[in-house]
Amino acid sequence: MSGPQPSAVVPGDLPRRRRVTVRGVVQGVGFRPYLYGLATELALVGHVTNTPEGVVAEVEGTASAVDRFCDRIAAHAPPLARVESVHHQELPATGGGAFTILASRADGPVRTLVSPDMATCADCLGELADPADRRYRHPFVNCTHCGPRFTIVTGVPYDRAHTTMAGFAMCPDCAREYADPADRRFHAQPVACPACGPSLRLLVPRQPRDGRPESVAGADPVTEARTLLARGAILAVKGLGGYHLACDASDPGAVALLRRRKSRGNKPFAVMARSADDIEHLVRLSPEERSLLEGGTRPVVLLRRRRDPSYPAGAPRPAEAVAPGSPDLGVMLPYTPLHHLLLGLPGDAEGPRLLVMTSGNVAGEPIVTDDAEALERLAPLADAWLTHDRPIQVPCDDSVVRVSDGEPLMIRRARGYAPLPVSLPLSVRPALAVGGDLKNAFCLGEGRRAWLSAHIGDMDDLGTQRAFERAVAQLESVTGVRAGTLAADRHPGYRSAGWADRNAAGRPVVRVQHHHAHVAAAMAEHGLDGTRPVIGVAFDGTGHGDDGAVWGGEILLADYDGFTRLGHLTYVPLPGGDAAVRRPYRMALAHLRAAGIGWSDDLACVAACPPDERRVLERQLERHLNCVPTSSMGRLFDAVSSLAGVCHRAGYEAQAAVELEAAALNAPVEDVTAYAFALRTSEPDGGGAVRADPAPVLAAIVADLRAGTEPALVAARFHRAVTGLVHRICVRARERHGLDTVVLTGGVFANTLLSSACATALREGGFTVLRHHLVPPGDGGLALGQLMVAARATARTATTG
């Protein structure tokens, strides 16, 4: 591939040759043809190639042209590229007649980044809907600006031979596009067409839900799939990073059937809509939320539901069973050609316009990616399978994001974001942080980069543990990081920490306290170097405390080196561990007893507890049997939710808190009353850790309920009480320690009503407030904090050793 001859040398502008190494997301995104076009435009000679280090180009020509080439590399990069660094090295001029694109080199250490999977671009969508185009209705249309990336990578450098497309030989037309630097499919590794690419199949059992599924012959798989969905069927649909289970979101029977088959309780489903316009009558949609929905990453966006939605004629209306009790509706737009076809192109027969799209797995198990496994594991759940023969190398769930005060708040980081690294404020030695046991994600770090894995899942399941191990090996392969240190949670029973111990192979394993890791994660994503501590407000459901208690309502003075506990909720017994989590009324009764409030039958939480269980619970609390003390803010939210009569049984994690937030959003905005916690210290001078006693809050709630106050108003006043508590303790910390930067972290701060109220109150009080944007505030971001704390610990050891 050659370009024009170099221009004549201008006197005083001598020939210069320079090697340029570009690192970042620069492979599989059209970077080499971009540099080819730039070099030929400037009449430069030389070459460009992919290497494990990045894209390496040598350019030669006039000094001014070489300088312009280097200046423009990052400024006009392709849409999916992410340039992290550009390094120059002067070389002797050697001459040459053209600029060429060389074959990729596989030697040397890995220094490049793999792009995330990206939604189908506008150009490809135009081809998909154009009857005159050879890729008309092709379910796998893609180019250098869109399509699968991370989920098909088997190695680096990112070339077709190192992807799951290696088994598909290109037809002459695709090969011509692939080899043409002027074509937008130049070296688009997943490039394909109906003549040579993956093929789609619809598999249906011979008898309904009985026997091995077989291909439906003589029919278009998508047309048949849409017909099945319209009839109330549940389909297993193979996506980019795994299978989805899909049904018509407007069909109450289909939604209820899917919920029952998946044993999902009342946990909300996400829906997929054809466009943002199709859901505006259902949710409030800000410009920032619309931008997230329609952008290239296409996450599930949690949107506030309209209280009294109107349904214009012909507008899709989801069944109430899609998200019962939730203040939000999770919405995503199509991000693969197959999704667009399923929802219908212009001119297609009418079909479902809103689809439930939930992870293809049995509750608690990892998402299914293997086709044979899908036929077996999803057989009890699906009526048919819409599948294809392009293998999925890396499992990757849908990301979940919401907008809080105009800024993104990551809830689950996966497709569209992984495996892009987070830039670190400090250089770290190669390390692996294994995260927690709930919503697990791990983190590899080296230098100034931290690669977080996609969401793995809950480590209770053996399949999830195997998926964790495979994901570690895969991310190590594509990043080239070989960890010398492992970091894990201090909980003695965490399976993630057990894995670290078993796989240490002589490497040190640094144990990091749970809430310290939460604070450190927020510090890292905001670029704090740790030279000055922060006030860390870490509220969640469960975290192993240094005293053996279950922590979760913590206010810490923290940096990367360590932490001091400034304040926490007063301990109450956690009766029965997981039983108290699943049955919030148990937590309510424990809190009432600790507050000295009797278990009167007029209280909803007391009435919700069966009499026999109540008697057993009373003896359990009296004798302290299986009652670990807890300071958890998450469990206090559970208790208040049951006490207010909002939620007594939780079918999914944080259901009671989610529904309490939903109730609070319905309260009259003009009511500004707030309950107040009592603050106590163990030292006469007021020093030491502050204990926030919720007894006055609970007493005020009981009085309100007995006076006939609506649960919505109780919920709102409780949220304001927690906001007031955070503000009071942070003011106290500033007075004693001179600090004015506050970090809000932990899963409780996925509650945007609380997060926004706390941030507003603190900022009005003169504090700088840091909240999560790049990684989740919950346990999905824990590994980043573990990495930073472990890095400091190993650095100290190296210095003193």
Side-chain angles (χ1 to χ4, degrees), residues 196-419:
C196 65
S199 57
L200 200 64
R201 293 188 300 160
L202 180 68
L203 303 176
V204 180
R206 295 180 188 177
Q207 301 294 326
R209 304 182 52 72
D210 180 38
R212 187 168 184 80
E214 295 181 348
S215 293
V216 178
D220 173 53
V222 173
T223 300
E224 291 297 313
R226 295 184 75 223
T227 300
L228 287 172
L229 288 168
R231 293 174 180 170
I234 296 168
L235 261 63
V237 180
K238 188 176 182 181
L240 289 180
Y243 277 80
H244 281 113
L245 291 169
C247 72
D248 183 352
S250 65
D251 183 338
V255 174
L257 180 61
L258 176 56
R259 188 174 293 285
R260 188 165 61 251
R261 286 183 184 174
K262 204 176 177 190
S263 302
R264 194 176 171 90
N266 287 326
K267 188 174 183 179
F269 286 125
V271 299
M272 179 177 282
R274 285 194 295 192
S275 71
D277 295 340
D278 275 337
I279 48 90
E280 277 196 298
H281 62 289
L282 301 171
V283 295
R284 300 200 298 270
L285 190 61
S286 70
E288 294 85 2
E289 289 164 335
R290 179 180 283 273
S291 179
L292 266 176
L293 273 177
E294 297 177 340
T297 54
R298 295 288 169 99
V300 174
V301 183
L302 298 182
L303 302 169
R304 288 288 191 223
R305 296 162 74 172
R306 294 188 183 275
R307 293 183 187 176
D308 298 303
S310 58
Y311 297 100
R317 177 176 184 168
E320 180 58 32
V322 166
S326 172
D328 306 309
L329 184 64
V331 179
M332 59 180 159
L333 301 187
Y335 55 85
T336 72
L338 180 55
H339 293 145
H340 285 278
L341 292 169
L342 266 182
L343 286 163
L345 299 182
D348 282 353
E350 191 65 29
R353 295 172 61 186
L354 282 180
L355 294 176
V356 166
M357 281 283 185
T358 187
S359 300
N361 58 0
V362 177
E365 295 183 1
I367 190 170
V368 175
T369 57
D370 178 76
D371 299 332
E373 200 175 0
L375 294 178
E376 179 182 346
R377 284 174 57 191
L378 302 183
L381 309 179
D383 299 306
W385 288 254
L386 187 59
T387 186
H388 57 79
D389 53 355
R390 182 179 67 205
I392 297 171
Q393 178 69 14
V394 184
C396 202
D397 259 305
D398 294 313
S399 293
V400 181
V401 185
R402 69 186 315 155
V403 172
S404 178
D405 296 332
E407 296 181 301
L409 171 64
M410 187 73 64
I411 304 298
R412 182 169 76 191
R413 189 178 188 272
R415 177 188 52 75
Y417 298 93

Side-chain angles (χ1 to χ4, degrees), residues 44 113 234 272 308 327 341 356 455 499 507 544 546:
L44 298 171
L113 304 178
I234 296 168
M272 179 177 282
D308 298 303
L341 292 169
V356 166
H455 168 82
W499 183 93
R507 296 172 292 180
H544 184 73
D546 286 352

Side-chain angles (χ1 to χ4, degrees), residues 383-755:
D383 299 306
W385 288 254
L386 187 59
T387 186
H388 57 79
D389 53 355
R390 182 179 67 205
I392 297 171
Q393 178 69 14
V394 184
C396 202
D397 259 305
D398 294 313
S399 293
V400 181
V401 185
R402 69 186 315 155
V403 172
S404 178
D405 296 332
E407 296 181 301
L409 171 64
M410 187 73 64
I411 304 298
R412 182 169 76 191
R413 189 178 188 272
R415 177 188 52 75
Y417 298 93
L420 289 179
V422 174
S423 296
L424 298 178
L426 300 169
S427 184
V428 302
R429 297 180 180 185
L432 166 65
V434 298
D437 268 19
L438 292 178
K439 298 181 174 65
N440 178 271
F442 62 86
C443 182
L444 278 170
E446 182 178 18
R448 301 292 285 266
R449 289 176 177 166
W451 289 267
L452 276 91
S453 72
H455 168 82
I456 303 293
D458 294 348
M459 296 288 280
D460 281 349
D461 181 73
L462 187 59
T464 306
Q465 294 170 39
R466 287 195 290 262
F468 171 92
E469 192 158 274
R470 290 192 298 269
V472 168
Q474 194 273 343
L475 196 56
E476 286 177 339
S477 172
V478 300
T479 61
V481 175
R482 300 293 178 265
T485 301
L486 282 75
D489 196 274
R490 285 184 185 171
H491 194 296
Y494 268 14
R495 290 164 177 81
S496 53
W499 183 93
D501 289 336
R502 292 191 304 274
N503 291 273
R507 296 172 292 180
V509 179
V510 179
R511 294 296 188 115
V512 182
Q513 199 281 325
H514 192 90
H515 302 93
H516 185 201
H518 274 312
V519 176
M523 291 174 62
E525 78 158 88
H526 282 279
L528 302 189
D529 63 8
T531 54
R532 184 171 171 79
V534 300
I535 303 168
V537 182
F539 288 171
D540 62 5
T542 301
H544 184 73
D546 286 352
D547 57 1
V550 175
W551 290 6
E554 313 306 310
I555 300 183
L556 310 177
L557 175 69
D559 54 22
Y560 298 127
D561 287 313
F563 70 93
T564 300
R565 206 175 181 199
L566 297 178
H568 60 88
L569 285 181
T570 301
Y571 287 140
V572 297
L574 181 66
D578 286 346
V581 177
R582 292 190 300 269
R583 286 170 270 173
Y585 60 76
R586 292 176 68 93
M587 206 64 239
L589 295 181
H591 264 288
L592 288 177
R593 189 177 188 279
I597 300 171
W599 293 357
S600 171
D601 288 339
D602 66 325
L603 299 176
C605 57
V606 178
C609 184
D612 289 345
E613 183 179 354
R614 199 187 310 172
R615 287 189 289 271
V616 171
L617 182 61
E618 191 167 24
R619 288 196 298 271
Q620 187 177 2
L621 292 169
E622 285 174 354
R623 301 172 185 176
H624 304 288
L625 297 174
N626 194 19
C627 286
V628 178
T630 183
S631 60
S632 168
M633 181 62 78
R635 299 289 79 82
L636 179 59
F637 266 80
D638 290 351
V640 172
S641 186
S642 180
L643 178 59
V646 173
C647 178
H648 302 302
R649 293 180 179 271
Y652 62 91
E653 185 189 4
Q655 178 179 347
V658 167
E659 294 185 2
L660 189 68
E661 181 188 8
L665 290 166
N666 289 320
V669 294
E670 63 273 9
D671 184 281
V672 294
T673 306
Y675 308 127
F677 289 78
L679 300 185
R680 313 185 194 282
T681 60
S682 55
E683 299 178 15
D685 64 353
V690 176
R691 289 176 286 111
D693 187 353
V697 173
L698 298 168
I701 290 174
V702 169
D704 268 356
L705 292 170
R706 286 175 172 159
T709 303
E710 289 296 318
L713 200 49
V714 169
R717 289 174 175 174
F718 174 69
H719 277 75
R720 293 179 190 127
V722 177
T723 301
L725 170 67
V726 169
H727 184 261
R728 289 166 66 195
I729 296 187
C730 287
V731 167
R732 185 188 184 101
R734 180 170 59 189
E735 292 169 350
R736 289 181 173 271
H737 302 284
L739 301 174
D740 58 7
T741 297
V742 179
V743 163
L744 302 181
T745 187
V748 167
F749 284 109
N751 176 329
T752 54
L753 178 64
L754 179 68
S755 177

